[in-house]
Amino acid sequence: MKKIKDKIKKIKDGIVNFNYKQYISTNRQFIAFVISNVINAWLLRFFTVHNYFAIKPFLADLAIVLILGSFVYLFKAKKQFTYLMILSIIFNIICIVNSLYYTYYMSFVSVSLIAVSLTVVDVGDAVIQNVLQVKDFIFLWQLIFLSVYHIHLKKKKYIEFAGPKENRKKRFTGTLICGVIIYALFFATVTSVEFSRLSKQWNREFLVTKFGVYTYQLNDLFKSLDAKFNTLFGYDNAAKEFRDYYEENTIELKNNEYTNTFDGKNLIVIHAESIQNAAINQEFNGEKVAPFFNKIKDEGIYFSNFYSQASSGTSSDSEFTFSTSLLPVTNGSVAVSYWNREYETLQRMLRDKGYNTLSFHANNGDFWNRNNLHKSLGYNTFYSKSSFKVDEENIIGLGLSDKEFFKQAVPILKKEYDENGKFMATLIMLSNHTPFDEIEKYGEFDTDIKEEVDGEIVSYPYMEDTKLGNYFKSVHYADEALGEFITALEEEGILDNTVLVIYGDHDARLPKSDYRRLYNYDKETDSTRDCEEGDDSCVIIDSNTYELLRKVPFIIYSKETKESLHTEVTDVMGMYDCMPTLGNMFGFYNKYALGHDIFDIKDNNIVVFPNGNWVTNKIYYNSQNNTWLPLKETEIEAGYIEANNLYTEKLLSASNATVVFDLIKNARETEEAESDYIEEKVID
Ligand code: GP9
Ligand code: MN
């Protein structure tokens, strides 16, 4: 006890009697290094999550910079600058990459996504044009500053603290302890919820807000390595999460008015790239942006509160969730890292019922690893870019234009319809892909406001030359392409015995400021009105209302819906509800589905997003900042949010465990072994 007391006294004396002046005058370069890197971490939060004055992330950033920086004292004076520069370059890369990533994905980068980024190299140009902004490079000031300051100090014959080895070691230990104490102080303020989120790592925005970017990135690095080890060692825990979840949540098969409605019919699925409800509902000068979508939604079963649950695997995540009713993984992408698992898929189940399964996409088959993914999902044939005739004049954005793509797909579908048995085909559209800047190829569609004044037409710019405006032009093109395709299917008689399913794969990640202009435009001043309190006509676009704008269409259309089944379903629904809903209609059942048949669950549905946010008919809940948006004027009963948060956590863990550890395969093997055992017993 006495010893500890003496030690504490020694540290206390050390702090009181420490010669700060001398420390500062012999550590200028190091201090400049620390301050500038902490400023950069703050700048990143400033431009992304907008938390300007939070102390906690500041402490965490400072601690990391001090701890890693302290090793500089183990080097001789000449090498010290090199060490500080190397660390600064790493910190700069972290800030720049995260800043870019945030603009595109509204989230922060994960080391485990590096493999994913490499497969999206083809969209590199699109991303670069679309995303690069000056603010992403502002962080570089730090490297310039540190170099200039170093030259300045050198000129002044200033020598950074070096001294004999023992002294340097002392300074190393002192700085390290200082960093550790600050980190300990920071961790003392961390709540249990924050700890739990740090260990799960899927609320990335939340983590950077609370822990700062350097701690987030370090944790992510360990988590990604840990995931690799976990695949080797974490099996038992994952298997338990899987068992527990399905014991509590297995969905019983129940009949309803749609049961077997489409049994035996062909199925054509349209993966509508980046189509949002916001575009379908929009018109300019009395003309709808998407007249065909509107026609199909009116004549079909239209789910008007439908959400994509894609994560960083975007298109491929949507394909995966639509086909399996599982969610994307929390780290990396299923298409790239976990395609080789056994999944219960819509395609395989229809194949078991005698369907031929085909997929069509005019991009390179390697993109999103589709050559492998599509086999794993259960497609017999994948018609990728090499199966299409691609001429220079038919290219829009990433590849063959949608109009030409559909035109070339129709004869293949016709042959399938006429000559073979039942089939299921997925067509993945491509033209309506960011950055929506080939407006000359989209055809005429004005997004201005035209008004007649004294017999003359006056035009106000409105959405012209904005990203959202260009997106509408692009959607108008995609809509026309879809219209031509459906007309061709009808003319060829294919729709006589075929059901068409259309989903928007995810939103188009358009700027909030453009939506503000869309909904609050003041044509007199050609500017966006600010929303004043009490002004109900003004549409507030904040981070939660923006989430609602990310809704995408889901439509089921057929001869039957056109005649009598057309309706609008307003209950919230997610991509993971497609398989169970269609399963009821086509007569198949997946007991590992995370979603529900919407006609069974109705008002009680919950859509869980891969980042832990969720939406019900009552509220949109943002788990990143623990805020919510009421969607109905009903009371939220006590414990409602906590219960849904718990469900969300269990569902995400079970989904992740299923994918990473191939647990459906294992469950099937166990079931087979058990039934063999029972059979043997009976024979005995
Ligand atoms: C690429 C296309 C678009 O082939 O499906 O993919 P996305 O960038 O939306 O994930
Ligand atoms: Mn997509």
Side-chain angles (χ1 to χ4, degrees):
M1 195 66 188
K2 190 171 177 305
K3 257 188 182 171
I4 299 175
K5 268 189 180 164
D6 286 350
K7 265 247 153 42
I8 294 175
K9 193 177 175 305
K10 221 174 154 189
I11 294 176
K12 245 182 168 175
D13 290 348
I15 294 173
V16 175
N17 302 326
F18 187 72
N19 189 341
Y20 291 98
K21 256 195 183 160
Q22 192 217 8
Y23 176 84
I24 293 171
S25 65
T26 55
N27 284 284
R28 286 189 192 162
Q29 192 167 264
F30 182 71
I31 293 168
F33 158 84
V34 173
I35 294 175
S36 57
N37 278 306
V38 171
I39 290 178
N40 261 359
W42 177 80
L43 277 176
L44 181 79
R45 278 181 282 117
F46 181 90
F47 288 123
T48 55
V49 290
H50 309 296
N51 76 332
Y52 310 120
F53 306 112
I55 296 286
K56 275 164 74 166
F58 166 77
L59 285 180
D61 290 335
L62 177 65
I64 293 280
V65 177
L66 277 175
I67 292 171
L68 296 180
S70 66
F71 290 86
V72 75
Y73 296 115
L74 299 181
F75 295 94
K76 286 190 181 141
K78 275 191 178 162
K79 294 267 165 65
Q80 290 188 348
F81 176 68
T82 317
Y83 179 76
L84 295 183
M85 261 323 249
I86 291 173
L87 269 189
S88 296
I89 289 171
I90 296 172
F91 287 141
N92 263 265
I93 291 174
I94 290 175
C95 291
I96 293 171
V97 171
N98 274 297
S99 174
L100 283 167
Y101 194 84
Y102 192 87
T103 315
Y104 197 60
Y105 290 111
M106 298 282 282
S107 183
F108 293 93
V109 82
S110 167
V111 176
S112 56
L113 291 173
I114 290 170
V116 177
S117 320
L118 292 179
T119 77
V120 289
V121 151
D122 284 14
V123 280
D125 282 352
V127 172
I128 285 164
Q129 284 174 28
N130 203 17
V131 170
L132 288 192
Q133 293 172 9
V134 180
K135 71 169 170 48
D136 300 319
F137 298 98
I138 209 157
F139 308 96
L140 292 173
W141 75 273
Q142 190 272 338
L143 293 178
I144 300 167
F145 160 73
L146 205 62
S147 312
V148 172
Y149 191 53
H150 174 71
I151 295 167
H152 165 79
L153 289 176
K154 244 181 147 178
K155 267 193 196 150
K156 291 214 146 189
K157 302 262 181 286
Y158 163 85
I159 297 170
E160 186 79 351
F161 180 84
K165 212 171 177 186
E166 300 79 71
N167 282 359
R168 280 194 280 125
K169 265 194 180 162
K170 259 191 189 163
R171 198 148 278 196
F172 159 66
T173 333
T175 315
L176 187 65
I177 289 175
C178 186
V180 171
I181 290 175
I182 294 175
Y183 220 24
L185 280 177
F186 158 74
F187 271 106
T189 66
V190 172
T191 64
S192 58
V193 173
E194 288 166 358
F195 260 123
S196 136
R197 289 190 175 175
L198 186 68
S199 78
K200 296 205 172 81
Q201 187 76 6
W202 63 63
N203 307 54
R204 301 205 183 117
E205 231 182 314
F206 175 88
L207 290 180
V208 172
T209 312
K210 301 285 177 192
F211 292 81
V213 67
Y214 301 140
T215 303
Y216 160 77
Q217 209 70 75
L218 263 179
N219 185 55
D220 170 71
L221 178 69
F222 290 131
K223 281 273 141 200
S224 305
L225 294 177
D226 189 41
K228 287 267 171 285
F229 284 119
N230 251 336
T231 322
L232 299 174
F233 304 119
Y235 178 82
D236 290 342
N237 190 32
K240 187 176 177 322
E241 282 175 337
F242 176 86
R243 265 196 318 272
D244 289 353
Y245 178 82
Y246 287 106
E247 257 166 38
E248 271 175 46
N249 298 295
T250 298
I251 299 150
E252 298 298 325
L253 252 187
K254 277 191 219 135
N255 285 354
N256 57 43
E257 72 260 45
Y258 290 97
T259 306
N260 294 333
T261 318
F262 298 130
D263 196 12
K265 296 213 176 276
N266 303 308
L267 170 63
I268 294 180
V269 177
I270 312 278
H271 171 116
E273 177 59 45
S274 303
I275 300 283
Q276 289 176 227
N277 279 11
I280 294 183
N281 299 331
Q282 191 61 40
E283 33 177 275
F284 290 88
N285 304 305
E287 275 190 50
K288 290 189 164 70
V289 169
F292 283 104
F293 263 101
N294 275 279
K295 178 176 173 313
I296 298 300
K297 90 174 168 59
D298 291 344
E299 294 176 354
I301 307 174
Y302 172 51
F303 303 86
S304 54
N305 282 304
F306 180 81
Y307 292 87
S308 160
Q309 290 161 299
S311 181
S312 40
T314 44
S315 275
S316 65
D317 279 349
S318 284
E319 282 189 64
F320 174 72
T321 301
F322 176 82
S323 307
T324 61
S325 188
L326 294 172
L327 286 184
V329 276
T330 44
N331 273 325
S333 96
V334 176
V336 176
S337 308
Y338 304 105
W339 59 272
N340 56 352
R341 308 296 199 244
E342 269 184 36
Y343 299 112
E344 296 279 18
T345 72
L346 175 144
Q347 295 79 349
R348 282 173 187 273
M349 289 190 171
L350 286 179
R351 207 161 65 175
D352 290 346
K353 286 169 75 75
Y355 283 63
N356 188 18
T357 50
L358 325 156
S359 60
F360 298 77
H361 183 47
N363 199 359
N364 196 327
D366 282 336
F367 202 101
W368 283 129
N369 196 25
R370 281 190 177 105
N371 282 333
N372 288 318
L373 178 73
H374 281 203
K375 257 187 228 141
S376 166
L377 292 181
Y379 289 111
N380 291 335
T381 318
F382 174 26
Y383 294 93
S384 66
K385 187 176 179 178
S386 51
S387 311
F388 292 87
K389 194 171 155 294
V390 184
D391 291 333
E392 198 50 44
E393 70 266 21
N394 286 328
I395 289 180
I396 296 183
L398 296 176
L400 186 63
S401 71
D402 283 346
K403 285 192 183 182
E404 195 54 33
F405 165 64
F406 282 136
K407 207 184 272 172
Q408 293 186 31
V410 170
I412 305 174
L413 292 169
K414 171 78 177 149
K415 196 160 182 274
E416 196 61 33
Y417 185 81
D418 288 344
E419 296 173 18
N420 300 328
K422 296 175 286 189
F423 72 91
M424 178 269 168
T426 301
L427 290 94
I428 301 170
M429 295 171 77
L430 191 58
S431 300
N432 186 45
H433 194 280
T434 191
F436 316 112
D437 58 358
E438 295 185 41
I439 42 175
E440 68 291 349
K441 294 188 180 170
Y442 302 150
E444 258 318 280
F445 188 77
D446 293 341
T447 58
D448 60 352
I449 294 175
K450 291 190 198 349
E451 272 177 10
E452 208 185 308
V453 180
D454 302 332
E456 298 233 339
I457 300 290
V458 180
S459 158
Y460 302 93
Y462 195 23
M463 299 312 290
E464 287 294 318
D465 294 325
T466 66
K467 186 120 188 268
L468 182 56
N470 290 350
Y471 167 69
F472 289 137
K473 290 173 199 272
S474 170
V475 171
H476 187 71
Y477 169 85
D479 178 76
E480 235 169 49
L482 185 74
E484 285 176 13
F485 178 58
I486 294 171
T487 309
L489 291 180
E490 261 160 351
E491 279 170 7
E492 296 289 352
I494 299 173
L495 280 193
D496 291 347
N497 196 31
T498 302
V499 177
L500 206 65
V501 161
I502 305 169
Y503 66 77
D505 67 337
H506 48 73
D507 72 307
R509 298 186 208 98
L510 297 157
K512 289 193 190 85
S513 53
D514 280 8
Y515 285 108
R516 291 190 187 112
R517 183 173 173 93
L518 178 71
Y519 298 124
N520 305 311
Y521 181 63
D522 180 351
K523 61 180 190 236
E524 303 310 330
T525 55
D526 183 29
S527 62
T528 306
R529 250 169 355 116
D530 283 332
C531 287
E532 313 222 324
E533 244 191 88
D535 180 359
D536 291 341
S537 67
C538 198
V539 181
I540 297 173
I541 309 290
D542 57 23
S543 55
N544 287 345
T545 47
Y546 180 79
E547 292 298 324
L548 301 185
L549 284 170
R550 299 177 69 194
K551 258 180 251 178
V552 294
F554 180 54
I555 304 167
I556 301 174
Y557 172 84
S558 73
K559 203 174 67 191
E560 293 77 11
T561 68
K562 213 168 151 182
E563 280 161 10
S564 59
L565 292 179
H566 51 264
T567 182
E568 180 178 337
V569 178
T570 55
D571 294 317
V572 288
M573 182 178 180
M575 195 66 83
Y576 66 6
D577 299 314
C578 293
M579 189 182 184
T581 303
L582 292 170
N584 178 47
M585 294 171 153
F586 280 83
F588 59 82
Y589 167 67
N590 169 13
K591 68 174 173 182
Y592 299 111
L594 296 177
H596 295 81
D597 171 5
I598 193 68
F599 297 110
D600 178 33
I601 192 145
K602 296 179 178 158
D603 190 39
N604 285 324
N605 203 20
I606 173 167
V607 179
V608 170
F609 296 97
N611 63 356
N613 293 1
W614 48 264
V615 62
T616 62
N617 278 354
K618 288 183 181 167
I619 61 167
Y620 181 91
Y621 178 75
N622 186 334
S623 73
Q624 316 297 313
N625 52 18
N626 188 28
T627 60
W628 59 89
L629 189 71
L631 302 175
K632 248 188 186 178
E633 279 185 16
T634 48
E635 231 173 77
I636 306 296
E637 60 266 32
Y640 182 76
I641 289 179
E642 292 74 11
N644 282 333
N645 275 342
L646 190 67
Y647 175 76
T648 296
E649 294 214 351
K650 285 188 177 172
L651 184 142
L652 286 173
S653 301
S655 180
N656 213 47
T658 308
V659 174
V660 174
F661 292 95
D662 211 357
L663 294 179
I664 293 178
K665 179 179 174 205
N666 289 34
R668 272 193 207 141
E669 282 171 1
T670 316
E671 268 171 34
E672 275 166 26
E674 274 168 10
S675 70
D676 284 353
Y677 176 74
I678 292 168
E679 246 171 56
E680 275 168 29
K681 276 261 173 233
V682 172
I683 291 165
D684 281 354

